[in-house]
Amino acid sequence: MSNDIVTTQSGVRGCCCAKPPLVNASGESSSTDKGMPVYKLSVKGAHCGSCKTSIEQALSSVTGVTAATMDLSSGIALVSGSVAADSLLEALDGASYSASIID
């Protein structure tokens, strides 16, 4: 396996298996899930890569979620899919993170 940094089809630099992010550097949606609702959540208490992974896994476990990503620097998580916002907040609460929906 190569450790080369590549540019993916979306123009995102990273490893060869990098998925395009749902959050760009300014915390705005860059989702490609056309027609799917995208929820923007402010998540409190995330400090490291392990937190990021836990948050993304908790959000991805909710039925109807098609993609979830967390940006540690902004504290913003973006989730796309056909899902109720309350379900996302409950999933994060179950993972010991407090969050609120950003309009």
Side-chain angles (χ1 to χ4, degrees):
M1 175 184 262
S2 170
N3 288 331
D4 294 337
I5 293 182
V6 298
T7 302
T8 64
Q9 291 176 353
S10 65
V12 176
R13 288 180 46 87
C15 76
C16 62
C17 59
K19 294 186 288 185
L22 288 176
V23 180
N24 64 22
S26 62
E28 297 171 349
S29 171
S30 58
S31 174
T32 58
D33 288 343
K34 303 294 182 212
M36 285 287 189
V38 175
Y39 297 96
K40 188 173 182 180
L41 297 93
S42 174
V43 182
K44 305 293 182 206
H47 305 287
C48 65
S50 180
C51 294
K52 177 184 184 316
T53 300
S54 295
I55 290 165
E56 290 175 346
Q57 288 176 344
L59 293 169
S60 294
S61 73
V62 176
T63 301
V65 170
T66 58
T69 188
M70 173 68 188
D71 181 69
L72 282 176
S73 63
S74 67
I76 302 294
L78 287 184
V79 181
S80 64
S82 295
V83 61
D86 289 343
S87 298
L88 301 173
L89 298 176
E90 289 173 15
L92 289 174
D93 187 55
S96 299
Y97 293 98
S98 62
S100 59
I101 303 292
I102 300 172
D103 293 325

